[in-house]
Amino acid sequence: MPQARATHLTRRGLLAAGGVLGLGAALAACGDGKGKDGGSGADAGNGASGPWAFEDDRGTAVKLDRVPANIVAFTGVGAALYDYGIQVKGVFGPTKTAAGKPDVQAGDMDLSKVTVLGNTWGQFSVEKYASLAPDVLISTMFDDAGTLWYVPDESKKKIAQLAPSVGISVYDRQLTRPLQRVWDLAGSLGADMKAAKVTDARKRFEAAAARLRAAAKAKPDVKVMAGSASDQLFYVSGTDLSVDLEYFKALGVNFVEPPESAKKQGGGWYESLSWENVDKYRADIIMMDDRTSAIQPADITKATWKKLPAVKADQVIARSPEPILSYDKCVPLLTNLAEALEKAKKVS
């Protein structure tokens, strides 16, 4: 997983005492009214969407009698589908901050229109899920074993009984692959993929990619480090598994790359450093994890952090290790890095 502190958390039991009460009835009811609302996108509500099929990145072919109406998705996937005009019924994963505001992974979704099944790692209300009469569950996958992101191991069998699932891989590939997969998925769900908003976003993404390639070519000696902060440790991400970093590297960006031996404790994703050793690698630009699970740069008080050349030069930008997989939301990821490279001074 991409520098997620979830690796250090214990998966909590999903259901409290008595939480399974009525689950059997909910399971039975789940099959009674599926698809009555028609498709989820442009054809939603007309009840004439016809059969639906989609083969996911596990090689699993999901086939239904009609386009799914009741979609439940990992928050970031729901946000990506929203950008294409697909409204999901429920989400799970980081959706609201402790202050009640939309999480960065919720994108532009209207949270008043979705049921939140769980907001943190290990939380997923099976009863709420069943009450939505789900047609399909959609999530990303951060390994090659087909593990659905933020679907708890403790309840995955119960969850699987309620509806088929679709997995989109974001493991060991460049960003453009899952972007295309979500594009294809949205189209299959009834989104208008010829709408100006949609096609313009794709063109802007392609233009941003060209800009980043040019910026990287002009500044080949500028070193970029992808980091993430917790209270005790600083994480330096490698580029080999992350969809964003693999893509940026392919465009020519010169990244700090911890050796494989150093990334073993992080499952091959990252190296963990004490704050005393945060200066182990020289970097001119630091990209910092923007997820709410990570300490943000403005809140880092460590003296060793403040002494880093990139920090002193104000060459620290945000990074989204779990990008919302729509072209619209990925444009800023490319643009911000391109702009940082264009303005960067060699400070390391």
Side-chain angles (χ1 to χ4, degrees), residues 7-210:
T7 53
H8 308 296
L9 299 176
T10 300
R11 292 197 179 201
R12 290 177 288 177
L14 177 70
L15 300 173
V20 295
L21 185 64
L23 180 58
L27 285 164
C30 191
D32 290 342
K34 290 185 178 181
K36 288 183 179 179
D37 295 328
S40 302
D43 296 326
N46 63 16
S49 52
W52 182 79
F54 188 84
E55 183 172 327
D56 74 359
D57 288 337
R58 299 169 297 185
T60 300
V62 180
K63 298 180 180 180
L64 299 173
D65 292 338
R66 61 196 308 118
V67 173
N70 299 337
I71 300 170
V72 173
F74 172 69
T75 301
V77 175
L81 292 175
Y82 183 86
D83 286 348
Y84 292 125
I86 304 295
Q87 176 68 58
V88 302
K89 292 292 182 69
V91 294
F92 55 93
T95 307
K96 294 181 180 180
T97 67
K101 296 180 180 180
D103 188 274
V104 65
Q105 295 191 63
D108 295 328
M109 280 193 299
D110 182 348
L111 299 186
S112 69
K113 295 182 178 180
V114 297
T115 298
V116 180
L117 306 180
N119 199 61
T120 61
W121 185 262
Q123 291 183 348
F124 190 114
S125 173
V126 181
E127 288 186 292
K128 284 185 179 180
Y129 181 53
S131 73
L132 295 176
D135 292 318
V136 67
L137 178 147
I138 308 171
S139 190
T140 48
M141 302 181 297
F142 282 94
D143 59 29
D144 56 5
T147 305
L148 296 174
W149 191 230
Y150 268 78
V151 174
D153 284 341
E154 296 85 351
S155 53
K156 65 182 181 182
K157 290 184 178 179
K158 291 187 179 75
I159 293 167
Q161 292 173 7
L162 289 160
S165 62
V166 167
I168 301 296
S169 181
V170 286
Y171 176 75
D172 195 18
R173 61 200 60 206
Q174 293 182 27
L175 178 61
T176 46
R177 285 181 63 185
L179 272 174
Q180 182 63 50
R181 293 295 283 146
V182 173
W183 172 284
D184 294 339
L185 176 61
S188 78
L189 292 170
D192 181 2
M193 307 311 289
K194 294 182 179 180
K197 177 183 177 181
V198 172
T199 57
D200 286 352
R202 188 160 188 161
K203 290 176 183 177
R204 287 189 291 109
F205 177 88
E206 293 167 352

Side-chain angles (χ1 to χ4, degrees), residues 222-262:
V222 171
K223 205 78 169 171
V224 180
M225 180 168 67
S228 184
S230 71
D231 185 54
Q232 299 297 323
L233 296 169
F234 183 82
Y235 307 89
V236 180
S237 180
T239 61
D240 292 338
L241 300 178
S242 300
V243 290
D244 61 330
L245 301 184
E246 281 201 16
Y247 184 53
F248 300 158
K249 181 171 65 174
L251 292 175
V253 178
N254 184 8
F255 279 100
V256 167
E257 188 68 61
E260 291 301 318
S261 59

